[in-house]
Amino acid sequence: MPNKFLKLDDNLYQYLLSISLKENDILAKLRQEMSTHPLAGMQIAPEQGQFMAMLLKLLGAKKILEVGVFTGYSALVTALALPDDGKLVALDVSEEFTAIARGYWQLAGVDHKIDLRIAPALESLDNLIAQGASGTFDFAFIDADKTNYYHYYQKCLELVRTGGLILIDNVLWSGQVIDQSVQDTRTKALRAFNEKLSQDSRVFLSTLPVSDGITIALKL
Ligand code: CA
């Protein structure tokens, strides 16, 4: 099959941002602060954040879920896209990184929309299911430890309503998913995850080369 994708060099990427990115000052400040952080690559790209905000607006989303918060850029960009009475349940294990996140959420005036739960995400997801939240979320974003991706996905699929979306990050994993010389646990988990999702009749799928590759699964 011919490859119709355009190679995006730095100049063309900057052009793309210049004609479309609407990043508010606080998002820009967070990105700036994180630009020198050794784990800066864990933060989503700004055009991906804007795309997620677009999806939320299309869905009319009011209740969303995030698995993997890090320093809060994706939570901030998605919380900003929610109505004032919208709710984001954000799951992470790190007090240290989410402390940075909280500061920016307060600065942006969206902290009242965000319910941050510090615990292993599988536990928090099980708690939500046990509390009767199945089928109540409009959207879920999965961007956490890759070895648990399929478990996160299964639980998010339970929690998201029919017609809701699950967006999964890093599915192309810098291309390592097709490099058979790479056999570490995370890469193998992503390959297995992608394979299982491609066979999953419970969802309608679209995988796109946004950033490190994203899959969007619509719950049927
Ligand atoms: Ca990611």
Side-chain angles (χ1 to χ4, degrees):
M1 204 187 302
N3 177 347
K4 301 216 173 171
F5 286 106
L6 188 63
K7 179 144 178 54
L8 207 58
D9 65 17
D10 289 348
N11 289 332
L12 192 54
Y13 178 61
Q14 289 307 324
Y15 173 77
L16 177 155
L17 296 180
S18 76
I19 58 161
S20 66
L21 187 66
K22 311 282 182 193
E23 187 181 47
N24 83 8
D25 292 348
I26 297 161
L27 283 165
K29 190 166 181 279
L30 173 53
R31 195 152 60 87
Q32 178 59 34
E33 181 183 339
M34 291 306 296
S35 62
T36 53
H37 194 283
L39 295 174
M42 282 174 63
Q43 180 170 268
I44 63 164
E47 73 283 2
Q48 180 178 339
Q50 190 166 317
F51 178 62
M52 288 162 60
M54 167 82 83
L55 293 176
L56 296 182
K57 288 174 186 293
L58 281 168
L59 282 168
K62 291 193 80 171
K63 190 177 174 192
I64 68 175
L65 186 57
E66 178 170 282
V67 183
V69 173
F70 188 45
T71 51
Y73 187 97
S74 50
L76 179 53
V77 74
T78 53
L80 284 165
L82 292 176
D84 197 55
D85 62 347
K87 199 52 87 183
L88 161 60
V89 178
L91 312 180
D92 206 284
V93 286
S94 172
E95 290 281 4
E96 181 195 347
F97 291 140
T98 56
I100 298 171
R102 282 181 204 263
Y104 281 90
W105 299 341
Q106 277 163 14
L107 207 56
V110 297
D111 48 317
H112 65 288
K113 300 184 198 175
I114 303 176
D115 173 1
L116 174 66
R117 302 185 183 187
I118 303 290
L122 288 175
E123 267 177 47
S124 298
L125 292 166
D126 280 338
N127 286 338
L128 285 165
I129 293 167
Q131 288 156 10
S134 295
T136 65
F137 287 85
D138 301 301
F139 177 91
F141 178 48
I142 302 176
D143 187 13
D145 52 307
K146 310 311 172 203
T147 45
N148 274 316
Y149 257 30
Y150 193 67
H151 300 301
Y152 295 145
Y153 166 74
Q154 290 274 53
K155 292 180 195 301
C156 286
L157 193 61
E158 168 75 29
L159 287 160
V160 164
R161 65 170 168 87
T162 299
L165 298 178
I166 303 172
L167 197 150
I168 304 114
D169 201 35
N170 303 104
V171 298
L172 297 180
W173 204 229
S174 309
Q176 294 181 100
V177 281
I178 57 161
D179 181 349
Q180 294 306 321
S181 70
V182 182
Q183 292 294 338
D184 64 274
T185 319
R186 291 187 301 167
T187 306
K188 280 165 55 176
L190 273 166
R191 280 183 198 127
F193 174 78
N194 288 337
E195 184 62 35
K196 276 190 211 160
L197 230 66
S198 73
Q199 307 294 327
D200 195 330
S201 59
R202 298 170 297 176
V203 291
F204 183 81
L205 282 189
S206 176
T207 295
L208 296 169
V210 174
S211 249
D212 195 27
I214 58 171
T215 290
I216 306 167
L218 181 140
K219 183 173 172 178
L220 297 171

